[in-house]
Amino acid sequence: MKKNKIWLSPPHMGGSELKYIQNAFDTNRISQYGSNIDEFENSLENYLGHNSFVTALSSGTAAIHLALRLLNVEKGDFVICQSFTFVATANPILYLKAVPVFVDSEDQTWNMCPDALEEAVKHCIQQGKKPKAIITVSLYGMPFMVDEILEISKKYEIPVIEDSAEALGSKYKNRLCGTFGDLAVISFNGNKIITTGGGGVLISKNKDLKNRALFLATQAKDSKEFYSHSELGYNYRMDNVAAGIGRGQLESLEDKVSQRRKNHDFYQELVGNNEDIDLFSAPNSDFFSNYWLNTVILKNDRSKEKLKNEFLLNNIETRYLWKPMHLQPLYKGYRFFGNNLCGTLFEAGLCLPSGSNLTDDCRTRISEVVQNKIY
């Protein structure tokens, strides 16, 4: 009999979501209006602190798009973007017909390399146009080099959009991801640490920016008694049912972070003494990762495919690391700064099952595969 599928990062419902969904139905608020939306935003604002103002949206991609709009990014503007990320980080740059400039990773956090970033900034300035924004990512839940990146942002007066789509609950120097950038983004896609079935939020630093984001996210309706539109808006608001799921999910966030970090401990014990495989881990105590996904680097060229195939035969999902943006056909021809470390990581790495509902039986099956193929 075929064994049950072990998924990479499945949704993990706790049960309390149902009462908030029921409230949406009981009040007949199943559209983009209702108390769940306000309460979800308020709960996230209280959780994040640091003058965080949250706008609940239909996706993390929509949040990045609105962040660029709030920074007045227009056609032809340079936007610096981390190359090692999911395509949703970069695509909104093209929505606005701006020009992405891609930056390599550094080897400690796999996130934006400060040296390559500064090289990219100087290049753009030499071209006669200072970048409008820097989009940095906290990949797989690992915080980026916050101090170094923000120092460059301040030096050149370029705002930072913090893509923390994967990093809810992660911290740098005991401060939560999502609170460092001028604007920040969190995703609630079905595979994230908590989910609304989709959805995301835009985090801004003041009420005016939140109001502006909400205006753009609700079709940019002018304040008149009839439908009047003076600028381009979008249908990006999160609906009340999705926000209800988010309220229930948020109640168990700390447990889910703890469970994912325990998964990391499991993998550390499993592969920690093997010279042919490296588990991606926090470089020091300043970095607290939620370990949304646990990832490994295989040092033998053939080991990655053998291990992936063996997992597949055992009905266990794994995935390759993100293919960097500068290697994607869509972004061929755009400038890239760095030594292609992110390309090397993509060639050698795998993402392993990391759900907060991973059971002891699942861990036993994973152990058997790894021990048979690696040891």
Side-chain angles (χ1 to χ4, degrees), residues 183-362:
L183 295 159
V185 171
I186 293 171
S187 170
F188 301 114
N189 190 33
N191 63 357
K192 295 303 187 291
I193 194 159
I194 67 170
T195 184
T196 59
V201 294
L202 176 63
I203 304 160
S204 48
K205 294 297 186 186
N206 59 64
K207 187 72 171 179
D208 288 342
L209 281 175
K210 175 175 177 172
N211 289 339
R212 173 67 176 163
L214 181 58
F215 171 74
L216 293 173
T218 52
Q219 301 289 20
K221 293 180 289 210
D222 296 332
S223 181
K224 295 183 182 296
E225 293 183 0
F226 50 88
Y227 289 105
S228 174
H229 305 271
S230 303
E231 59 181 306
L232 182 64
Y234 314 95
N235 184 21
Y236 279 172
R237 188 65 161 147
M238 181 180 286
D239 69 72
N240 198 42
V241 177
I245 297 172
R247 289 182 71 186
Q249 286 273 286
L250 198 55
E251 291 178 0
S252 61
L253 172 60
E254 293 303 328
D255 286 340
K256 288 180 168 61
V257 171
S258 176
Q259 288 160 347
R260 296 210 181 218
R261 286 178 59 82
K262 287 179 181 177
N263 290 338
H264 184 78
D265 294 339
F266 157 71
Y267 284 118
Q268 184 64 57
E269 185 175 347
L270 181 61
V271 305
N273 295 323
N274 192 292
E275 295 180 356
D276 294 324
I277 183 167
D278 282 338
L279 178 67
F280 180 42
S281 301
N284 57 57
S285 60
D286 286 342
F287 296 84
F288 178 92
S289 176
N290 64 13
Y291 292 117
W292 169 62
L293 288 185
N294 284 282
T295 59
V296 291
I297 297 297
L298 283 300
K299 297 180 182 179
N300 184 307
D301 290 343
R302 292 181 295 177
S303 294
K304 182 180 78 168
E305 296 305 326
K306 287 183 177 180
L307 183 59
K308 192 175 194 308
N309 288 337
E310 190 67 19
F311 275 124
L312 182 62
L313 290 172
N314 284 272
N315 208 22
I316 299 172
E317 184 184 24
T318 61
R319 285 189 190 169
Y320 298 114
L321 304 187
W322 299 126
K323 183 176 181 179
M325 291 302 99
H326 75 282
L327 300 178
Q328 298 283 357
L330 174 63
Y331 289 104
K332 183 179 180 180
Y334 291 102
R335 288 298 303 265
F336 170 74
F337 292 85
N339 298 315
N340 198 36
L341 172 65
C342 56
T344 301
L345 293 170
F346 163 67
E347 291 294 337
L350 276 181
C351 300
L352 303 180
S354 301
S356 52
N357 51 0
L358 203 65
T359 65
D360 287 340
D361 178 64
C362 292

Side-chain angles (χ1 to χ4, degrees), residues 41-74:
E41 289 177 340
N42 291 339
S43 295
L44 282 167
E45 288 174 353
N46 291 333
Y47 173 73
L48 293 166
H50 294 279
N51 293 318
S52 299
F53 292 83
V54 171
T55 307
L57 303 169
S58 57
S59 69
T61 312
I64 294 174
H65 188 193
L66 289 186
L68 293 169
R69 279 289 310 269
L70 292 178
L71 295 176
N72 299 312
V73 172
E74 298 176 341

